[in-house]
Amino acid sequence: LLSCRLYCEEAKDPKRRSCQTVLAEALDIVVRSFAPILPHLAEEVFQYIPYKKEGVFRTGWINASSAWKKPGIEEAIEGACAMRDSFLGSISGKNALEYEVIIVIEPGLLFELMEALQAEETSSVSQLNEIMMASQTTLLSELPKETPSDANIIKGTFLINLEGGDICEQSSYKVLARPIAKAKCPRCRRYTAESSSTPCPRCLQVLAAGKGST
């Protein structure tokens, strides 16, 4: 998830910058948390952070922004991770990038949470697909009509608990993994290209933007 955003997206792409922001915030909190018992190490770390102008002991204790506590995000990520575990379990030992994932959830709160991670029906670059670790993820409210009768469909449930328990809903989901029909992109290594010698559409766009800015 991190490596794809950091190394495959355009330098100023919001996805890449947001990843850097999360890493910077995580580093700041970790260093401040061990500063009282490892002061010299904490101070040395801060000396190597280019955007920090003062030492760790001159800038106060941990002060995480309330903006990180967005309602529903934690549940959305946990739900997606539960579905990812179902997917990875169904292809035990195989390369997840060689598959596309179809997630089927009946309309309801869980479906809405997944839509927050993937607005499009099918995507290879959404947050949901990054969590699933597949080359492509499709989010549907019912199984495709062309699904074979002997398809390996993994069923599961996820308990949503919001607002301190005021909103509680048990939702079921289905996960279907299928070998993807596309070729391996030589740049991002996902199976999203039309041929193995040509980058995928996302990478072509990034490369074109890079040339335009030089």
Side-chain angles (χ1 to χ4, degrees):
L1 173 60
L2 295 180
S3 61
C4 184
R5 286 194 178 196
L6 291 174
Y7 301 117
C8 295
E9 299 291 354
E10 186 182 354
K12 295 183 179 181
D13 188 282
K15 291 181 181 179
R16 184 175 186 273
R17 296 302 300 272
S18 65
C19 181
Q20 291 176 310
T21 299
V22 170
L23 290 174
E25 184 73 8
L27 176 63
D28 185 88
I29 291 175
V30 169
V31 174
R32 291 182 192 279
S33 65
F34 68 66
I37 56 175
L38 295 171
H40 298 293
L41 177 59
E43 195 65 43
E44 183 177 3
V45 171
F46 258 56
Q47 289 177 7
Y48 282 94
I49 300 178
Y51 50 85
K52 295 293 185 182
K53 304 302 181 183
E54 294 185 276
V56 64
F57 294 104
R58 292 179 177 273
T59 52
W61 184 236
I62 297 171
N63 185 25
S65 171
S66 59
W68 294 103
K69 298 178 181 180
K70 189 175 181 180
I73 289 298
E74 182 178 353
E75 287 74 16
I77 299 299
E78 289 180 351
C81 287
M83 296 174 200
R84 179 192 62 195
D85 292 343
S86 297
F87 160 57
L88 295 178
S90 71
I91 60 164
S92 181
K94 298 179 181 178
N95 183 3
L97 289 175
E98 295 179 0
Y99 290 82
E100 62 173 324
V101 182
I102 298 176
I103 299 174
V104 181
I105 309 171
E106 292 184 359
L109 186 54
L110 182 59
F111 189 90
E112 293 175 4
L113 290 176
M114 293 305 105
E115 280 189 315
L117 301 178
Q118 178 170 302
E120 310 88 348
E121 182 176 283
T122 299
S123 178
S124 60
V125 296
S126 69
Q127 295 181 69
L128 179 59
N129 187 67
E130 290 178 340
I131 294 171
M132 296 303 293
M133 300 169 62
S135 279
Q136 180 176 288
T137 297
T138 299
L139 179 62
L140 301 173
S141 58
E142 59 182 14
L143 279 172
K145 295 180 179 180
E146 67 274 12
T147 303
S149 58
D150 60 346
N152 183 21
I153 301 175
I154 308 299
K155 299 180 180 179
T157 59
F158 182 74
L159 178 62
I160 301 170
N161 196 333
L162 293 172
E163 304 294 337
D166 291 339
I167 301 176
C168 191
E169 182 177 300
Q170 181 88 14
S171 300
S172 59
Y173 62 84
K174 299 175 183 177
V175 175
L176 173 61
R178 302 191 302 197
I180 197 162
K182 295 185 178 181
K184 186 177 182 180
C185 173
R187 181 174 180 270
C188 69
R189 305 300 182 183
R190 288 184 175 179
Y191 289 75
T192 51
E194 296 302 321
S195 72
S196 58
S197 59
T198 305
C200 66
R202 187 273 301 270
C203 287
L204 285 173
Q205 182 178 354
V206 172
L207 292 170
K211 291 180 180 179
S213 60
T214 56

